[in-house]
């Protein structure tokens, strides 16, 4: 059987070998998901949570952000030198949404997209809106699972308007999706989908900075936070000792 040989760092340099398949034992080797610090890495959470809830087996490799190890290893496991990256033994897939799209296509029983084509289009639209938008909120409310900072994260001066507009739009998305497409479950489109994975880090931000939405939005956020995999992520984040100063809002 072919087995995955992990990326290895040379003892004499920062050079890192590319993960590769080689002849080995009969034991199956899992795909590898490379992620960053669980306290801060919102994009890592998106891919990790989507795979976990979909019951996709994988090996997790966490590399500390902004460390010498990350600088050496990231260009090897990802062409963008960023996390997350997913290596299945034949290819590397980078970008959280692309990873989950690949799983949705290759393992359709995971139901990571709604089955109805029209509803699936809406799910993709809100997912891509998250992927490319909400800059003010991302800038002023960095993900920080360890902290409780109610009232902070709005930014100085006119930045408040941009953050508040992002919060309002996200609240609108949550309400619209839950009321129009959420029948049959507690998530945005009923069952858990890529859209929920994309917005999960926003839910952590709203928890950290004390953002309240309407009753529908608040109930949806409680659903996300109550996921066992989210509890596990939070526990791991709490155990980390690394601090990234510019992600600490004071």
């Amino acid at each position: 059987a072919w087995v995955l040989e992990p990326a290895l760092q040379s003892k004499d340099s920062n050079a890192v070998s590319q993960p590769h398949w080689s002849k080995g034992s009969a034991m199956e080797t899992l795909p590898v998901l490379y992620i960053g610090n669980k306290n801060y890495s919102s994009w890592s959470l998106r891919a990790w949570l989507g795979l976990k809830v979909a019951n996709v087996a994988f090996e997790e490799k966490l590399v500390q952000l902004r460390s010498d190890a990350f600088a050496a290893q990231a260009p090897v496991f990802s062409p963008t030198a960023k996390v997350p990256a997913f290596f299945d033994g034949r290819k590397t897939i980078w970008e959280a949404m692309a990873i989950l799209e690949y799983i949705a296509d290759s393992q359709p029983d995971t139901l990571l997209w709604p089955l109805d084509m029209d509803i699936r289009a809406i799910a993709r639209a809100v997912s891509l809106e998250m992927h490319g938008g909400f800059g003010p909120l991302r800038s002023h409310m960095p993900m920080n699972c360890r902290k409780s900072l109610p009232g902070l994260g709005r930014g100085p001066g006119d930045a408040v308007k941009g953050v508040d507009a992002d919060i309002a739009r996200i609240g609108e998305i949550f309400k619209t999706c839950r009321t129009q497409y959420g029948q049959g479950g507690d998530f945005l489109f009923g069952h858990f989908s890529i859209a929920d994975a994309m917005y999960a880090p926003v839910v952590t931000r709203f928890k950290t900075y004390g953002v309240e939405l309407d009753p529908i939005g608040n109930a949806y956020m409680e659903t996300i936070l109550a996921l066992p995999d989210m509890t596990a992520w939070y526990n791991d984040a709490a155990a980390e000792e690394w601090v990234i100063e510019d992600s600490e809002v004071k």
Side-chain angles (χ1 to χ4, degrees), residues 53-81:
V53 177
N55 292 316
V56 176
F58 63 93
E59 179 183 358
E60 170 188 317
K61 287 189 178 294
L62 190 153
V63 185
Q64 181 187 351
L65 297 173
R66 304 191 190 179
S67 66
D68 291 342
F70 191 91
Q73 295 178 36
V76 177
F77 64 67
S78 171
T80 62

Side-chain angles (χ1 to χ4, degrees), residues 31-52:
V32 178
L33 180 70
Y34 293 90
I35 63 173
N37 308 26
K38 290 187 175 180
N39 190 55
Y40 301 112
S41 185
S42 58
W43 289 106
S44 295
L45 172 58
R46 290 181 171 101
W48 185 94
L49 183 65
L51 295 178
K52 284 287 188 179

Side-chain angles (χ1 to χ4, degrees), residues 34-232:
Y34 293 90
I35 63 173
N37 308 26
K38 290 187 175 180
N39 190 55
Y40 301 112
S41 185
S42 58
W43 289 106
S44 295
L45 172 58
R46 290 181 171 101
W48 185 94
L49 183 65
L51 295 178
K52 284 287 188 179
V53 177
N55 292 316
V56 176
F58 63 93
E59 179 183 358
E60 170 188 317
K61 287 189 178 294
L62 190 153
V63 185
Q64 181 187 351
L65 297 173
R66 304 191 190 179
S67 66
D68 291 342
F70 191 91
Q73 295 178 36
V76 177
F77 64 67
S78 171
T80 62
K82 296 178 180 179
V83 287
F86 184 80
F87 181 66
D88 71 353
R90 297 184 298 111
K91 60 188 171 298
T92 296
I93 304 170
W94 60 102
E95 292 288 345
M97 191 164 168
I99 293 167
L100 298 180
E101 286 264 25
Y102 170 67
I103 297 300
D105 288 342
S106 62
Q107 302 180 42
D109 57 323
T110 58
L111 297 177
L112 280 172
W113 284 129
L115 295 175
D116 182 274
M117 183 177 67
D118 293 336
I119 298 175
R120 188 164 62 248
I122 301 300
R124 278 200 168 99
V126 299
S127 296
L128 286 166
E129 185 175 353
M130 179 71 256
H131 190 278
F134 307 113
L137 185 141
R138 289 175 173 175
S139 295
H140 299 290
M141 289 186 172
M143 191 169 102
N144 191 329
C145 296
R146 290 195 297 254
K147 292 292 182 67
S148 177
L149 304 167
L152 298 183
R154 255 55 178 203
D158 290 341
V160 174
K161 296 179 181 178
V163 175
D164 285 348
D166 284 350
I167 292 171
R169 173 57 186 152
I170 291 168
E172 180 184 357
I173 289 171
F174 289 176
K175 184 174 183 178
T176 299
C177 291
R178 286 293 302 132
T179 55
Q180 295 188 21
Y181 311 109
Q183 296 80 8
D186 296 324
F187 298 98
L188 293 178
F189 294 89
H191 62 80
F192 185 93
S193 72
I194 291 173
D196 300 292
M198 292 298 290
Y199 282 90
V202 172
V203 172
T204 74
R205 287 172 159 101
F206 287 179
K207 179 179 185 292
T208 296
Y209 300 101
V211 176
E212 293 286 333
L213 301 177
D214 61 31
I216 293 173
N218 289 338
Y220 170 68
M221 292 195 292
E222 290 174 4
T223 294
I224 293 294
L225 293 170
L227 286 168
D229 294 312
M230 284 295 286
T231 299

